[in-house]
Amino acid sequence: MVFRDRKDAGEKLARKLEKYKDKDALVLAIPRGGVEVGCEVAEYLHASFSLLVTRKLPFPDNPEAGFGAIAEDGSVFIFREASTWLSQKQIDKIVGEQSEEIRRRLQVLRAGKPLPEIAGRTVILVDDGLAMGSTMRASIMLCRKKKAGKIVVAAPVAGREVAKDIGAMVDEIVVLETPVNFMAVALVYSNWYDVSDNEVLELIRKGCNK
């Protein structure tokens, strides 16, 4: 185990982003797991904070695994191999279902408010870890479309190949741990659990959403 919990991971990650302190950066956390990590980063950097709602596109028979992701603006990232596993009809159905969940989360977690202005700003995208990295890739696509000035991806842990691939998509990537035989994000946390909507709202209520 490397991190006690998401708060510990966020504190450690924040220190690696020191150069963005007091630089009017915008931290966008991917809910729900990335929110506490992102809160710690935003607080340390004195940065603006919001949630960027992005959803994995899960396989029908194995929801823990995904073949891509969709961001709140409709940006869709799909691994090329997906078409060999699923029909277009199946893909369209799953995209539709996850779009509905995004709409729900936007209402519940962000009270239906729009994203802060992204154009021209340094945006730091934060999650609690990058397994296949599909949600992060869709989030990057959204930031590109909204003309972010600089895109930085920050995560406590990632697989080496995924970190390399995502690093090639952005201006900078900051990852604390890249284990050799990386199997799952949960394995590097002593205290790992699924975060609820209520926990996200509580973090924001306590002042994370500057």
Side-chain angles (χ1 to χ4, degrees):
M1 300 295 180
V2 179
F3 307 110
R4 286 193 310 276
D5 50 25
R6 291 179 175 94
K7 180 174 170 42
D8 176 46
E11 288 170 351
K12 288 174 176 164
L13 187 61
R15 289 194 286 275
K16 290 290 186 181
L17 294 159
E18 179 86 35
K19 67 181 177 182
Y20 296 106
K21 196 168 191 173
D22 297 312
K23 300 289 189 189
D24 192 35
L26 171 61
V27 173
L28 294 179
I30 300 173
R32 290 179 295 221
V35 176
E36 189 165 16
V37 181
C39 278
E40 295 297 329
V41 170
E43 186 175 343
Y44 184 81
L45 299 181
H46 305 148
S48 303
F49 176 86
S50 190
L51 309 182
L52 197 169
V53 181
T54 307
R55 290 286 296 166
K56 177 175 68 184
L57 299 173
F59 284 107
D61 55 350
N62 183 11
E64 288 302 308
F67 61 87
I70 178 169
E72 61 181 72
D73 71 333
S75 294
V76 176
F77 170 81
I78 293 179
F79 289 106
R80 282 194 301 272
E81 302 86 354
S83 58
T84 64
W85 303 319
L86 298 166
S87 68
Q88 191 58 50
K89 186 176 178 182
Q90 285 175 302
I91 291 172
D92 291 345
K93 179 174 182 288
I94 293 162
V95 167
E97 289 167 352
Q98 294 309 314
S99 297
E100 280 295 315
E101 174 60 12
I102 284 174
R103 283 191 281 274
R104 186 195 73 79
R105 289 191 178 202
L106 286 172
Q107 288 303 317
V108 172
L109 303 181
R110 218 169 65 209
K113 294 175 186 171
L115 277 167
E117 184 61 41
I118 287 175
R121 295 188 74 177
T122 294
V123 177
I124 303 174
L125 292 169
V126 179
D127 208 346
D128 56 8
L130 306 173
M132 293 181 73
S134 54
T135 52
M136 187 58 79
R137 292 175 219 236
S139 300
I140 293 165
M141 290 166 69
L142 177 148
C143 291
R144 283 258 175 266
K145 286 180 187 175
K146 293 189 179 289
K147 301 193 174 359
K150 182 176 185 178
I151 303 174
V152 181
V153 166
V157 64
R160 294 184 179 189
E161 281 304 310
V162 168
K164 184 179 168 187
D165 291 348
I166 288 178
M169 296 175 68
V170 295
D171 299 289
E172 184 180 0
I173 185 167
V174 177
V175 177
L176 303 182
E177 298 290 337
T178 52
V180 178
N181 297 311
F182 182 57
M183 303 297 290
V185 172
L187 297 179
V188 299
Y189 287 86
S190 300
N191 179 21
W192 174 267
Y193 61 92
D194 290 334
V195 180
S196 69
D197 285 350
N198 285 339
E199 285 170 292
V200 170
L201 294 170
E202 180 66 12
L203 283 165
I204 291 169
R205 188 190 66 77
K206 278 159 50 178
C208 172
N209 203 3
K210 295 184 179 71

